[in-house]
Amino acid sequence: MLTLIAVVSSAGGAGRSTVTAHLAAQLAHARTPVAVLELDAQNSIGALLGLRETCEQGVLSAGVAPDGWHTVLRDTPEGVPLLPAGRTDAKQLAALGDWLRGDAGGLRRQLDALGLPAGTRVFIDTQRLPDAIAQAAVVAADRVLGVVPVTTTGYVTQVDLMAACAGRVQMVPNLAASNSPLNNDLLHLIQARGGDAVVPVRIHRDDALGMAAAKGGSLARAADGSQAALDFIHLEAWLARATAPNGSGGQGDART
Ligand SMILES: Nc1ncnc2c1ncn2[C@@H]1O[C@H](COP(=O)(O)OP(=O)(O)O)[C@@H](O)[C@H]1O
Ligand SMILES: [Mg+2]
């Protein structure tokens, strides 16, 4: 049985791909079975997981049918198996959206067919909501992580995120900046509105993430001791508790 974890947001550039890649790398580092499915036309996760070359073919590419996803599954230097998006266009995206709308169980069925080890956490990176493919990922997933940037846009769009996920989202504040009074106020507003659905870990704004992206690799492997590296260790620990079989971290008690 796979655990599907959709990573979504209603704000653009919220950090979905960043959170997906670094959290998955952190799980791999902790020897927890993990994989990533990239349903984001930006096609950037491969680089964040250390691949040098752009993934040309992927799950969103012309000529790759859902039952052919095994042909584009690849390993990455971070030890995270990846189904990259690949190069795509509007027509392909529309076709995939149509397939998912018509076949609600299709996403899980194709992932099950890959033969990943039982218990693998599969992170699904998505495009910004509202988006047909992202919405299908929300429906198919066991858990929904909503990335909320601690910005005015993040706060304004938080209501859309909560509505689109119909009470199933667990929100991860990103781009927190403790030295900014405005940022602290926004974080408190986001927490007050989200209540228990806001996870008890935040990701700080940290240049180490941009540097890791430029170098092509995760913070877990670089072990650089940055604030963001620590944040992802804490987020991984929270997720491990939340997704443990018989664990204490149900959707409603994310603060335990
Ligand atoms: N916590 C953070 N600190 C610094 N930069 C960040 C942080 N989170 C994201 N970024 C940067 O913001 C940009 C958008 O992030 P990305 O993960 O691509 O967003 P999305 O996938 O939601 O569009 C990237 O350049 C990324 O490096
Ligand atoms: Mg992205």
Side-chain angles (χ1 to χ4, degrees):
M1 182 78 177
L2 304 174
T3 300
L4 308 190
I5 303 167
V7 182
V8 301
S9 81
S10 291
R16 296 178 305 277
S17 299
T18 301
V19 167
T20 301
H22 289 281
L23 191 51
Q26 192 60 49
L27 261 75
H29 196 70
R31 308 215 173 282
T32 305
V34 63
V36 168
L37 166 63
E38 184 180 27
L39 297 180
D40 178 359
Q42 214 163 11
N43 196 26
S44 64
I45 293 272
L48 295 175
L49 292 176
L51 293 175
R52 294 265 162 237
E53 73 284 12
T54 304
C55 299
E56 296 291 332
Q57 285 285 94
V59 296
L60 303 183
S61 300
V64 180
D67 61 4
W69 281 3
H70 63 278
T71 63
V72 294
L73 180 64
R74 55 186 304 170
D75 210 353
T76 62
E78 295 294 333
V80 179
L82 170 67
L83 286 161
R87 288 203 195 278
T88 189
D89 56 33
K91 199 168 148 211
Q92 287 307 314
L93 289 172
L96 196 80
D98 287 346
W99 166 60
L100 287 171
R101 252 195 306 266
D103 183 2
L107 198 53
R108 185 179 290 274
R109 208 171 53 247
Q110 296 308 333
L111 290 169
D112 279 341
L114 296 172
L116 295 166
T120 297
R121 271 85 161 167
V122 183
F123 288 94
I124 306 174
D125 187 27
T126 60
Q127 308 199 121
R128 178 168 71 89
L129 289 163
D131 170 75
I133 300 175
Q135 205 68 61
V138 167
V139 171
D142 300 293
R143 296 234 158 211
V144 182
L145 295 186
V147 181
V148 181
V150 186
T151 60
T152 45
T153 306
Y155 177 63
V156 169
T157 57
Q158 185 188 16
V159 275
D160 302 327
L161 175 68
M162 292 167 78
C165 301
R168 299 190 57 230
V169 69
Q170 290 181 286
M171 288 168 271
V172 181
N174 184 29
L175 294 161
S178 319
N179 57 355
S180 157
L182 171 62
N183 191 284
N184 281 326
D185 285 352
L186 286 168
L187 181 61
H188 289 142
L189 288 169
I190 288 165
Q191 287 170 328
R193 185 195 270 147
D196 281 350
V198 178
V199 311
V201 179
R202 75 201 68 157
I203 308 296
H204 290 84
R205 182 187 292 275
D206 190 340
D207 285 349
L209 283 166
M211 287 181 17
K215 276 198 247 166
S218 80
L219 300 174
R221 202 163 42 125
D224 66 355
S226 64
Q227 174 69 62
L230 194 61
D231 295 339
F232 279 105
I233 290 171
H234 288 151
L235 189 59
E236 186 274 324
W238 168 80
L239 189 75
R241 282 197 307 277
T243 56
N246 307 318
S248 59
Q251 294 275 134
D253 59 356
R255 282 171 194 269
T256 55

